[in-house]
Amino acid sequence: MVHTASSLDCLRENGRIVAKVHRELKKLIKPGISTMFLEDTAKEIIYGERAVPGFLGYKGYGYATCISLNEEIVHGAPSHTRFLEEGDLISIDVGTYLDGFFGDAARSWIVGQPKNEEDVTLLRATRECLNRAIQRAKSGITVGTLGEVIERHATKFGFYVVKNYIGHGIGRSLHMFPAVYNYKSDDEGIILKEGMVIAIEPMLVLDCADNYVLDNGWTVVTANGKNSAHEEHTVVIHKDYAEIITC
Ligand code: MF3
Ligand code: CO
C-alpha cells in the first residue's frame, strides 16, 4: 500500500528506534554474554523510546528480538543459557511498534574473530545482496526485480538464498502486502510505487538453503547445519530511489 506523509513519518520514527537498538547491541556483542542480555537491552532501549517491541506477542512469539546463531537462519529465541562464543555468526532481528506503525530490521555479525574466511564472505555477500536490492528499488521497478538482483548476486559467491522466508510490506501490520521475494520467480510481482514501504531481508546459506523449524516451533535452522546470515532494512520507495529508514 501507499502511505501518507504522516504515516511515513511514523514509520521513520520506528526505523530510527530499530537502528538505535542495532547500534547499541553491536557494542555489546562479545564472547560470554547471553543472548538474553541482548534481548533485555533491546527491550530497555525500545521502552526508553516510548515504543513497544514489535515482535513480542506476534503470533505468540515471546520476545522483542530474534537472535539466530550459526546454523539458525531466523526466529531464534533469546535464552539465558545460550552464551556467545568466539567466531559465532549472530543474526539479530529487531521490531518496534509506535504510534500504530511497525519497524523491522536485521543485522548479522561475527562474534570476535571469525572462525573461517567463508563466514566473512557469507556476511559480506548477504549485505551486498541487500544493498544491491535497495539500490535498484524505486517506483516503476517490480518486486520480482529485487529478488532477481538478490539471487543473482548470492549465486556469484556460490551461496544460496532461503526461499521459504521472504521480505514484506510493512506499516500498520508487521507483515503486509507485497511479498518481497529473495529469488527470481516467474511472477514478476507488483510494481513498486512512491510511498510504499517494504522490508527487504535476504537470508543466505552455504551449499544448500533447505531448512526446517525446531521443536520450539520458531527457530529455523539449515538442513545441512551450515551457517546462515540475515540482513534486513525497511525502505520507503520514492520516485528515483529507496530511502533506508532503519540505519
Ligand atoms: N524480520 C522477521 C520477519 O519479518 C521477524 C519476524 S519475527 C516474529 O519475519 F517473531 F515476529 F515473527
Ligand atoms: Co521482516
Side-chain angles (χ1 to χ4, degrees):
M1 67 171 288
V2 170
H3 293 280
T4 62
S6 66
S7 299
L8 290 180
D9 281 340
C10 293
L11 282 153
R12 286 189 185 99
E13 185 60 8
N14 274 281
R16 182 189 66 76
I17 299 166
V18 167
K20 180 176 179 184
V21 173
H22 279 297
R23 255 197 324 274
E24 294 303 317
L25 294 190
K26 182 175 182 240
K27 295 179 197 162
L28 302 174
I29 294 172
K30 57 168 190 265
I33 68 154
S34 76
T35 55
M36 193 59 83
F37 177 59
L38 296 173
E39 160 75 11
D40 290 342
T41 307
K43 267 193 187 151
E44 238 171 68
I45 297 167
I46 293 168
Y47 288 125
E49 293 283 343
R50 309 193 184 293
V52 295
F55 299 165
L56 186 65
Y58 180 83
K59 292 187 179 165
Y61 187 70
Y63 306 95
T65 60
C66 297
I67 302 185
S68 310
L69 298 177
N70 303 322
E71 78 287 356
E72 298 170 353
I73 301 173
V74 272
H75 304 165
S79 160
H80 285 292
T81 54
R82 187 84 192 256
F83 300 94
L84 300 188
E85 290 174 23
E86 187 89 23
D88 275 347
L89 202 163
I90 181 172
S91 303
I92 304 176
D93 200 341
V94 176
T96 58
Y97 182 74
L98 175 71
D99 293 336
F101 289 85
F102 284 87
D104 184 11
R107 312 289 288 156
S108 291
W109 313 103
I110 289 171
V111 180
Q113 290 304 309
K115 278 194 191 116
N116 53 53
E117 211 40 51
E118 211 167 37
D119 283 345
V120 179
T121 312
L122 181 67
L123 217 70
R124 200 182 103 213
T126 309
R127 279 181 195 158
E128 286 184 11
C129 283
L130 175 59
N131 289 337
R132 281 180 181 232
I134 294 171
Q135 274 164 22
R136 249 336 243 291
K138 61 177 181 176
S139 71
I141 296 288
T142 65
V143 282
T145 302
L146 305 184
E148 197 180 331
V149 165
I150 290 167
E151 188 173 34
R152 195 188 320 125
H153 196 61
T155 306
K156 269 189 230 156
F157 284 86
F159 297 135
Y160 292 80
V161 292
V162 172
K163 295 193 169 175
N164 50 337
Y165 295 91
I166 58 174
H168 48 94
I170 179 168
R172 288 191 181 275
S173 302
L174 177 60
H175 294 147
M176 296 174 74
F177 179 83
V180 183
Y181 296 103
N182 295 315
Y183 56 92
K184 181 174 163 42
S185 90
D186 293 337
D187 178 10
E188 266 299 301
I190 60 126
I191 297 170
L192 295 171
K193 288 195 186 68
E194 274 185 86
M196 284 183 172
V197 180
I198 56 172
I200 309 175
E201 48 180 318
M203 286 149 247
L204 267 60
V205 188
L206 300 160
D207 297 335
C208 168
D210 287 353
N211 56 77
Y212 62 95
V213 179
L214 295 184
D215 285 344
N216 65 14
W218 281 100
T219 315
V220 181
V221 298
T222 58
N224 62 12
K226 301 268 176 108
N227 285 354
S228 166
H230 178 205
E231 290 267 320
E232 173 183 32
H233 272 310
T234 298
V235 304
V236 177
I237 302 300
H238 292 285
K239 184 166 171 291
D240 295 315
Y241 73 104
E243 169 196 353
I244 305 173
I245 59 172
T246 43
C247 75

